[in-house]
Amino acid sequence: MTETDTKSISWKWLKNLLKLIEDETDTKIIIDKIRSSFKEFLNFETTEIYIVERPNDEKDGKSYVDKLASSSFFSRDVIEEIFLHKNPYKISNKEIVYPLELENRMLGLIHVKSKLPILDYEHELLWSFCDHLSIKLDSLFFPIQFTPESKTKIKEISNSIFNNLKGFLEASLEKLKLLEDENLQLVKLNETRIELINNVSHELRTPLVSIMGFSKILQRREIDEALIKEASDQIQSAGSRLSRMIDDLIQLNRASNKGWEITIENLDLGEIAEFVIESLSPLNKEHSFICIFPDDYPLVDGDRKLLRQVIENLLLNAIKYSPEGGNIKCEIKVNDAKKKLYFSIEDEGIGMTEEETKKVFDRFYRAKNTQTENIAGLGLGLSICKDVIEAINGNIYCESTFGRGSKFILELNF
Ligand code: ADP
């Protein structure tokens, strides 16, 4: 076995021995345990352990010296020498006396005698053991005594520490939660921004390309009348698409900042719809607008400018998403009992699947299929319509059949 192995085994033995006496309170049992362990492990010729019985807390040391001297293990000179220096006393290289001492309190002595010279590391081991044993004995002889007042004080202090800590932890957790929420909102905002930039730059480019392409045609010297008409129509239509998208962006910005300035008044929805249809008709020859309004219907509470924008948006979508043309039907129905007016716009266009219909009011949502891929848009218009309608305490919903057409319904109060 190497020297390192031997040393490591010895330190393990020391640890085990300390564990063995850890919970022991009877000094006689402690002495027995130490003695038999020393005998088993160190194989010394002699191991004598003397522990002072009930030492008092005198610092002059006289009473300890007297007590130890009376044990008749050692001469008074040896004991006085140990007490003076508080160091092990080497009688020879085979025989050492170790003090059990703590803070000037002599608690006992351990005397060992070996057949062979005691090695340095064995000496270190024993000295360390004596230090540990001294602490253990001192705690036995002089347990910390608390008066009832100090006990109450300690309880109070520990309670207050606990409460402060608890309060601090709770506050920290709450702060952490707030920070997490804020962080999540920032992440979402950032995602929305990135999505917005991607969508906007792509979608704005499409009508711009159209405008630039057709203006180039107009710059040519010799072009016939029909081509001039076609090019300018195309430029006008691309320009209005561009302007719509910019309007959507302005509206979105308004919605996420302060909201809208709303002026509620009594409005004739049929009249507003007819006004919008009139402004859109010249550009849309392929669609027929049909209005089915009852002879008499109530005025609704709403903001004129905003409602006009919503109806324009829905009508433009109806045109946009029925590229083959067809009828676009505007209808008003009234429920007097509920004091609700239902205004619907129905087209015969491409329609949507059930899944798509559920998402149309989400910001930036666009149904992606072969039918929609050539139709420009930012996926913002309907989400803005929803914001507006909810701001005037109304509702908006959609019914659609894929390949057949869609119907958007406004439910408003009167
Ligand atoms: P945009 O038209 O600019 O894409 P909208 O918010 O107005 O944005 O519409 C969101 C999506 O809902 C559209 O991309 C389209 O897929 C679908 N949609 C809206 N209106 C209709 C309609 N009348 N018919 C079929 N699909 C529609």
Side-chain angles (χ1 to χ4, degrees):
M1 197 184 289
T2 65
E3 198 187 316
T4 329
D5 290 342
T6 322
K7 280 183 187 169
S8 119
I9 291 174
S10 308
W11 284 105
K12 257 190 205 142
W13 162 79
L14 176 78
K15 264 178 147 176
N16 286 340
L17 178 56
L18 289 171
K19 244 196 147 38
L20 207 68
I21 58 171
E22 192 174 73
D23 298 324
E24 210 49 76
T25 51
D26 186 329
T27 49
K28 283 202 175 56
I29 299 178
I30 293 175
I31 291 173
D32 282 349
K33 284 188 173 172
I34 297 170
R35 204 177 271 141
S36 66
S37 179
F38 269 45
K39 202 170 169 192
E40 207 175 292
F41 189 77
L42 294 169
N43 204 13
F44 287 154
E45 202 175 318
T46 317
T47 305
E48 284 175 325
I49 302 165
Y50 178 77
I51 292 175
V52 177
E53 264 177 55
R54 299 186 175 283
N56 41 32
D57 201 9
E58 290 169 48
K59 296 272 157 115
D60 66 359
K62 194 172 169 304
S63 64
Y64 300 110
V65 177
D66 287 344
K67 278 181 184 168
L68 288 168
S70 71
S71 72
S72 76
F73 282 152
F74 311 101
S75 72
R76 189 178 236 317
D77 296 347
V78 172
I79 294 166
E80 274 178 351
E81 173 72 22
I82 292 172
F83 185 76
L84 194 69
H85 296 109
K86 316 221 168 40
N87 274 337
Y89 181 84
K90 286 196 176 176
I91 298 169
S92 72
N93 65 352
K94 296 179 188 166
E95 187 176 3
I96 308 177
V97 181
Y98 294 90
L100 296 171
E101 173 270 340
L102 192 80
E103 290 173 8
N104 252 358
R105 293 194 283 264
M106 284 296 284
L107 309 166
L109 294 167
I110 293 188
H111 172 218
V112 292
K113 198 172 171 187
S114 169
K115 281 181 203 136
L116 301 167
I118 295 172
L119 300 171
D120 277 353
Y121 87 86
E122 288 176 321
H123 170 63
E124 287 295 328
L125 192 73
L126 288 168
W127 197 358
S128 170
F129 172 72
C130 290
D131 284 343
H132 280 89
L133 183 61
S134 304
I135 295 167
K136 157 88 189 158
L137 292 173
D138 196 64
S139 69
L140 275 184
F141 297 146
F142 305 107
I144 302 165
Q145 300 282 354
F146 292 116
T147 60
E149 291 81 38
S150 51
K151 271 188 193 159
T152 325
K153 196 84 206 147
I154 287 172
K155 211 168 169 193
E156 270 173 28
I157 292 171
S158 62
N159 276 349
S160 115
I161 290 175
F162 176 76
N163 285 337
N164 279 343
L165 214 67
K166 196 169 154 242
F168 173 74
L169 276 178
E170 278 169 2
S172 309
L173 276 178
E174 220 158 273
K175 250 200 184 134
L176 203 71
K177 175 113 199 22
L178 278 178
L179 281 176
E180 255 175 24
D181 289 351
E182 270 172 27
N183 198 23
L184 210 75
Q185 275 175 16
L186 284 177
V187 170
K188 272 194 187 150
L189 199 72
N190 203 27
E191 279 171 5
T192 313
R193 287 227 168 105
I194 292 169
E195 213 176 335
L196 176 80
I197 290 165
N198 284 343
N199 285 348
V200 168
S201 38
H202 174 256
E203 293 299 338
L204 292 187
R205 193 167 293 136
T206 320
L208 266 181
V209 168
S210 183
I211 291 173
M212 283 157 76
F214 284 106
S215 3
K216 258 210 158 81
I217 293 177
L218 290 180
Q219 279 169 351
R220 277 192 226 137
R221 293 259 163 92
E222 285 164 28
I223 42 169
D224 63 35
E225 282 279 312
L227 197 54
I228 293 179
K229 172 89 178 67
E230 176 61 28
S232 50
D233 277 356
Q234 291 295 343
I235 290 174
Q236 196 181 354
S237 136
S240 70
R241 267 186 283 147
L242 208 57
S243 137
R244 258 197 81 208
M245 285 192 238
I246 291 165
D247 278 352
D248 281 356
L249 287 172
I250 293 169
Q251 291 274 34
L252 175 76
N253 202 28
R254 226 171 260 163
S256 43
N257 285 334
K258 297 179 215 96
W260 292 274
E261 274 173 28
I262 295 174
T263 317
I264 299 285
E265 46 182 318
N266 287 325
L267 301 171
D268 180 339
L269 222 57
E271 187 191 271
I272 293 177
E274 273 160 358
F275 174 83
V276 179
I277 289 169
E278 218 161 287
S279 67
L280 296 175
S281 293
L283 280 176
N284 295 283
K285 302 285 179 239
E286 293 89 20
H287 299 89
S288 311
F289 296 93
I290 304 163
C291 292
I292 306 172
F293 302 153
D295 290 340
D296 196 19
Y297 55 86
L299 302 178
V300 291
D301 300 332
D303 179 290
R304 179 180 297 278
K305 215 167 129 210
L306 292 176
L307 270 175
R308 191 185 293 161
Q309 275 174 15
V310 170
I311 293 174
E312 189 184 65
N313 222 322
L314 295 176
L315 281 168
L316 281 168
N317 271 356
I319 296 167
K320 204 160 79 164
Y321 294 102
S322 45
E324 307 281 306
N327 291 327
I328 294 176
K329 188 167 82 183
C330 294
E331 193 169 7
I332 290 179
K333 284 185 179 164
V334 180
N335 185 325
D336 277 315
K338 289 188 180 168
K339 291 192 117 347
K340 301 265 186 212
L341 180 142
Y342 300 89
F343 175 84
S344 63
I345 293 176
E346 192 173 358
D347 62 60
E348 298 168 350
I350 60 173
M352 283 174 280
T353 63
E354 213 181 309
E355 274 306 296
E356 290 166 348
T357 310
K358 277 184 204 153
K359 295 185 196 151
V360 282
F361 297 106
D362 293 352
R363 281 233 197 297
F364 297 116
Y365 177 76
R366 304 208 69 218
K368 284 196 175 64
N369 53 51
T370 46
Q371 309 251 53
T372 55
E373 67 189 9
N374 293 321
I375 304 175
L378 294 177
L380 280 176
L382 286 178
S383 75
I384 294 169
C385 287
K386 189 171 160 71
D387 288 347
V388 169
I389 295 298
E390 284 176 357
I392 56 169
N393 295 323
N395 258 320
I396 180 167
Y397 36 89
C398 168
E399 293 163 3
S400 188
T401 311
F402 186 68
R404 286 270 183 88
S406 309
K407 185 176 179 179
F408 285 83
I409 302 136
L410 303 182
E411 181 190 292
L412 298 163
N413 301 313
F414 59 84

